[in-house]
Amino acid sequence: MTSSLNAPDERIEDLLADRATVGLTEAEARQLDDLQADSSEADTDAFDLAAAAVDVALAPPTEALPAGLRARLLRAAPESEPPAPDAAQDRVLPAPARRSTLRFRFRDLGWFAAAAAVLLAVVGWWRPGVAPAPPAPTLAEQRRQLLGSPQTIRVAWKGLEAGYEKVEGDVVWNGDKQAGFMRLKGLPVNDPSKKQYQLWIVDPARDKHPIDGGVFDSAATGREAIVPIRAKLNSPSPKAFALTLEQPGGVVVSAGPLLVVASVQ
Amino acid sequence: MSLAACLLSVAVVHPPPGASLGCLRAAGRQLEILREPQLISEATSILQRIAAGDRQAVAECIDHFGGLVWSLARRFLPNPTDAEDATQEIFTALWTHAGRFDPARASETTFVAMIARRRLIDLRRRQTAARRPEEIPLSIDVPQDAAPPTLEIREEADKVRAAMAALKPDQQEAIKLSVIDGFTHGQIAKRLDLPVGTVKTHIRRGLGRLRDRLAGRGAEGVST
């Protein structure tokens, strides 16, 4: 960044910038360690902090921590005062079993499993007033739920290319929740080993490039399918949704053509 | 047809057969709008309290930075299970390295985001090496909204945006595509129609300038 940098320092900055954005290979990480050992460059976190500041400022957190994950984190939290940094990992994560303990576990695994099963059965039978967990809602139920939320939009598909004229269905999207579903019927079957459908979300307020909405396959044209949208980036106010056929796994930049489009009026 | 008209006719009203994403991309370039950031609120010294052995601060850390870490994990890792595991690893690292937080160098939010990004970049690298078609989950959780930002965080975000605005346009674009969108140097080079080496230089110099400006060193020692 300054013209006065010597070659090793410039290489250090190259590696620090890479670490802050795309990460380093093991070889690059070792090279960085070696170079830093011989360098006067003191603030090795500065590039990472700059990238993090940009991330926090320009990419808003979109989701609150799920309650189940919060409970899991609390269970994993240190029980008492945090130890010295290098020892804390062992207190938070389960320590590996010693060999003798492991042999004991293998030998008694069958008895232990049986005893645990009996215990679970007894506890499950005995605990009064505990209802079984409700089944997870289906995609159709989740879609209906989303349709009932404020700010949810619903737009119909329109086939553009030959063979896609009879595609029916719609897109449901909620910019606040960053969740949505595609409902599709009549989409021609694709061969996943050769091509996959890829959803694109056009949202000029978010990005000048269409946002990757994930790839999926169509197995049967006669049945209606509901596909959850997994946008790679936030899309607060999409103007259109489009499907293309791309190489397996999807592409970063598509040349089209747009097969089916759902436009927000 | 103008680019804006392209967006209206292709994407919004009546898309003709043969329309391509390039047309939409070009239209979006003219209609780009600055977004209002929404950041989580920030406490003053949660990490310092954790480092000092305050047990209550651990729960506060989860509640305060949970949305930030979880949102980052979801953005980096499409698979929700991977994102949950990564979130736990990140908080473990936070509790372990809380003593490294220095309020003179960065805010707690930025420090937390740095720890999270390092872990997530590493995980993404490993996953990208064996990329496969995204699996469509049988069910998804409808996400809850993140907490609104505090005035303090908004002010910090304003400072970062101002520092970004002082960069050259190519530097801004390369940093956004790399830091926010997570594209590789090769992908950015393709998008911006630039050599990979130039993209790397834009990112390195841009981050260097940001580093200096956010550290209060202005534009000293900066070259383009």
Side-chain angles (χ1 to χ4, degrees), chain A residues 1-3 5 10 13-14 17-25 28 41 43-66 69-70 72-74 76-82 85-86 88-89 92-93 136-137 139 142 145-146 158 160-161 176-181 196 200 202 204-210 212 214-217 227-228 230 232-233 236 239-240 242 244 248-250 252-258 261-265, chain B residues 7 10-13 15-22 24-26 28-29 31-33 35 37-40 50-51 53-55 58-59 62-63 66-68 70-72 74-76 78 80 84-85 87-88 91-92 95-97 100 105-106 109-111 113-114 117-118 121 124-125 131-134 136-146 157 160-161 164 173 175-181 183-185 187 190-191 200 203-205 207-212 214 220-223:
Chain A
M1 53 172 292
T2 63
S3 55
L5 283 178
E10 190 162 316
E13 293 213 334
D14 270 339
D18 284 353
R19 186 180 72 182
T21 51
V22 296
L24 299 178
T25 64
E28 289 170 335
E41 179 70 49
D43 194 357
T44 59
D45 288 343
F47 277 99
D48 297 287
L49 286 171
V54 170
D55 203 331
V56 171
L58 301 187
T62 54
E63 301 179 28
L65 190 69
L69 181 55
R70 180 182 181 276
R72 175 178 161 184
L73 294 174
L74 285 172
E79 287 295 325
S80 57
E81 290 75 17
D86 290 340
Q89 186 85 1
V92 177
L93 298 175
L139 291 177
Q142 293 177 51
Q145 183 184 0
L146 192 63
K158 176 184 173 65
L160 299 185
E161 294 292 313
D176 291 340
K177 297 178 181 295
Q178 289 298 299
F181 298 90
Q196 287 193 296
W200 301 92
V202 180
R206 170 62 181 86
D207 200 325
K208 60 190 177 187
H209 302 287
D212 179 3
V215 297
F216 64 98
D217 302 313
V227 181
R230 303 305 302 266
K232 301 297 184 292
L233 300 171
K239 298 301 179 194
T244 60
V252 177
V253 178
S254 173
L258 307 182
V261 167
S263 302
V264 179
Q265 299 295 329
Chain B
L7 178 70
V10 174
V12 180
V13 184
S20 72
L21 286 166
L24 301 185
R25 277 197 302 276
R29 192 170 294 128
L31 299 177
E32 188 172 11
I33 300 169
R35 288 171 295 122
Q38 293 180 337
L39 310 174
I40 70 167
I50 290 175
D54 183 344
R55 290 174 56 185
V58 172
I62 295 171
D63 290 336
L68 170 66
W70 175 241
S71 295
L72 281 167
R74 290 284 282 156
R75 177 150 60 84
F76 274 73
E84 288 188 6
D85 292 344
T87 299
Q88 181 170 341
F91 272 102
T92 300
W95 298 326
T96 304
H97 300 300
R100 284 179 49 201
R105 294 178 60 213
T109 301
T110 299
F111 181 83
M114 182 192 75
R117 282 180 50 85
R118 276 189 182 166
I121 287 171
R124 184 175 61 191
R125 277 185 70 89
R131 187 180 181 190
R132 60 184 187 277
E134 184 180 345
I136 298 171
L138 295 176
S139 63
I140 61 168
D141 294 323
V142 177
Q144 303 298 311
D145 293 340
V160 174
R161 282 199 299 274
M164 280 286 283
E173 191 66 14
I175 288 175
K176 281 182 189 172
L177 289 170
S178 179
V179 172
I180 307 298
D181 299 335
F183 290 127
T184 65
H185 295 141
Q187 290 167 336
K190 192 171 181 181
R191 281 195 168 222
K200 292 187 67 167
I203 292 172
R204 175 171 58 81
R205 289 180 175 168
L207 282 179
R209 292 186 68 181
L210 284 175
R211 174 190 64 180
D212 290 342
L214 296 176
E220 77 180 52
V222 172
S223 66

Side-chain angles (χ1 to χ4, degrees), chain B residues 42-51 54 57 60 65 101 103 108:
Chain B
E42 180 190 24
T44 53
S45 59
I46 291 176
L47 295 174
Q48 288 172 316
R49 286 166 52 205
I50 290 175
D54 183 344
E60 287 181 36
F65 299 113
F101 168 63
E108 273 194 315

